[in-house]
Amino acid sequence: MPPAAPMFIDQMHFAMDLGAPTLARSRKAADLSRMNWVAASALALIAGLALSGCAPSGRPDVAPLSAKSYATIPGIPNARYFADQTAEMDRELERSLIREGASLGLKRGSVLPPAHFLALSGGGDDGAFGAGLLAGWTAHGDRPQFKMVTGVSTGALIAPFAFLGSDYDSALTDVYTNVTPAHIYQKRFILSAAIIDDALADTAPLFQTISRHIDETLMAKIAAEYHKGRLLFIQTTDLDAGVPVRWNIGAIAESGDPRALDLIRHIMLASAAIPAAFPPVMFDVEANGRAYRELHVDGGAVSQAFLLPPGVDLRKARKLAGYQRKSAFGYVIRNARLTVEFSDVDRHTLPIAQKAVSTLINYNGVGDLYRIYSLVKQANVAFNLAYIDPEFQAPHKEDFDQSYMRALYSYGYDKAVHGYAWRHAPPGIDAGGK
């Protein structure tokens, strides 16, 4: 299979799921209109691929691959990091530890208090699970303040609220219990979407939803916490290069740049931009004194969750900063199940492809858990995992189904308010995965 094939399969899956969620959620309930939408979606994608050979290739403003690692956001040099910039991320961690020690009035050589790290995965409307869990954790009374929060896709929408703590539980609850599909996207005409446009739907409603909650006041609070040494990262995918980008939201917020708020909103939009279903987001960057534009999509195109990028050394950062750490705890909230839901797949091309790709995506996400587990263990960080158990069986009629999201939010809340039973390893590493 050529390198581009997995990405295309992901695009086809997400597009079909947007157009005909009933096929993904129910075995026999797809009505004719939804089947027509699926057929039209597939034909549009195929037509788009066929016609792409007739269209001019490449964009004149795209940065060459050789410039990727040092392409920056003008005026905000530490706004983001590519996967191969481990030295730069090490230095950012070191600086954050120095800021943390200073905010606590501690001298070099002192022992810092326990640190808590939170990773929030992708999962679409299953983000209601993570939202409910966080709110229930607050109600239980032992939710910590996180040293670092990371978010991918729907996790990126949760991350700023999780970072700022319980004061923003009401906003988090609103986002995941009161939205409908109309608050997320507006469908486009299928054929023009595939041939002329860049996605099957318009996410202007999602940008409005983000903007309603992510305002100047919230950004100022993120900046203040960044000044204390806390970190907030959101992942997108640079589609031109096919690499993950970790955006340093606290540094952007603290920069004082007049474009900072709009940039943060668009980063969140990009992290949730499901390829082919939702439009990509363009970012203006600079490399070697030249201006370029990058095309970014859902961070989940690379990984469903991340905590410590490979090569980043927490112990080295602490040593260079001159501090020790009493203990550290990592938490991963997977806004999805660990297994694929059983269904008697119809023997037709689209249902077969969709089920196969949903299975592929699910197990790639499970693979992320093993990677995170390995990295945090190397850093002597305790591992804690939450995910949606098979016992949750609420009906799911369509994507961003409000009734489903409310039920899942309540499920996550009830689990946490009584003291969440965190798993301490991915499945298969210990008995029962607990």
Side-chain angles (χ1 to χ4, degrees), residues 85-411:
Q85 293 182 295
T86 54
E88 288 82 353
M89 288 205 70
D90 277 338
R91 285 194 290 270
E92 179 64 10
L93 287 172
E94 178 189 342
R95 291 190 294 264
S96 78
L97 290 164
I98 293 171
R99 296 195 303 272
E100 180 183 356
S103 71
L104 296 171
L106 298 176
K107 297 180 180 179
R108 288 174 62 91
S110 300
V111 178
L112 296 170
H116 302 268
F117 305 92
L118 174 66
L120 297 156
S121 85
D125 53 9
D126 281 341
F129 170 70
L133 192 155
L134 286 165
W137 198 353
T138 297
H140 186 256
D142 59 350
R143 175 176 158 186
Q145 182 183 76
F146 299 107
K147 163 70 176 178
M148 182 172 71
V149 176
T150 68
V152 177
S153 196
T154 196
L157 303 181
I158 299 172
F161 307 119
F163 180 76
L164 292 177
S166 58
D167 288 348
Y168 280 84
D169 281 356
S170 58
L172 189 55
T173 300
D174 178 61
V175 169
Y176 282 93
T177 62
N178 292 327
V179 300
T180 65
H183 294 99
I184 306 299
Y185 63 85
Q186 183 177 8
K187 290 180 181 178
R188 292 170 171 169
F189 179 65
I190 290 296
L191 290 177
S192 66
I195 298 172
I196 301 173
D197 292 325
D198 53 7
L200 296 176
D202 182 358
T203 48
L206 176 57
F207 186 74
Q208 293 171 2
T209 299
I210 291 170
S211 299
R212 188 170 68 250
H213 293 285
I214 308 300
D215 56 18
E216 292 281 358
T217 299
L218 181 142
M219 185 176 72
K221 291 183 178 179
I222 291 175
E225 295 305 312
Y226 177 77
H227 188 70
K228 298 175 185 176
R230 298 178 62 215
L231 298 169
L232 172 60
F233 290 103
I234 287 175
Q235 178 172 287
T236 63
T237 300
D238 178 342
L239 194 58
D240 295 311
V243 296
V245 179
R246 281 76 185 241
W247 295 84
N248 193 355
I249 303 300
I252 297 170
E254 196 194 38
S255 69
D257 193 292
R259 303 161 299 170
L261 180 59
D262 186 66
L263 178 59
I264 291 171
R265 289 169 172 172
H266 278 92
I267 291 166
M268 294 175 67
L269 183 69
S271 188
I274 302 168
F278 294 165
V281 176
M282 303 293 291
F283 291 102
D284 295 319
V285 302
E286 186 177 85
N288 288 335
R290 290 189 56 185
Y292 298 102
R293 304 196 79 200
E294 291 177 350
L295 193 72
H296 285 243
V297 297
D298 193 331
V302 174
S303 62
Q304 291 296 305
F306 75 100
L307 199 55
L308 299 172
V312 173
D313 192 336
L314 278 177
R315 294 176 178 177
K316 177 182 175 183
R318 286 198 296 267
K319 183 178 180 180
L320 291 173
Y323 290 99
Q324 302 176 53
R325 176 77 73 185
K326 186 174 182 180
S327 56
F329 304 87
Y331 299 88
V332 181
I333 297 180
R334 175 171 162 81
N335 293 300
R337 305 171 191 270
L338 289 183
T339 56
V340 180
E341 186 177 2
F342 173 84
S343 62
D344 53 341
V345 180
D346 291 331
R347 291 188 62 185
H348 294 94
T349 302
L350 295 179
I352 290 171
Q354 186 172 19
K355 184 61 180 284
V357 173
S358 67
T359 303
L360 172 66
I361 292 170
N362 177 81
Y363 285 100
N364 280 343
V366 172
D368 290 331
L369 301 180
Y370 291 97
R371 174 178 51 81
I372 293 171
Y373 179 77
S374 174
L375 291 170
V376 300
K377 283 299 181 182
Q378 290 176 25
N380 198 29
V381 176
F383 181 86
N384 298 275
L385 170 66
Y387 53 84
I388 303 172
D389 284 308
E391 65 187 12
F392 179 76
Q393 292 292 330
H396 196 173
K397 298 178 181 179
E398 61 178 349
D399 288 321
F400 306 102
D401 174 3
Q402 190 179 83
S403 297
Y404 172 83
M405 293 174 71
R406 287 178 173 177
L408 184 54
Y409 175 93
S410 295
Y411 170 79

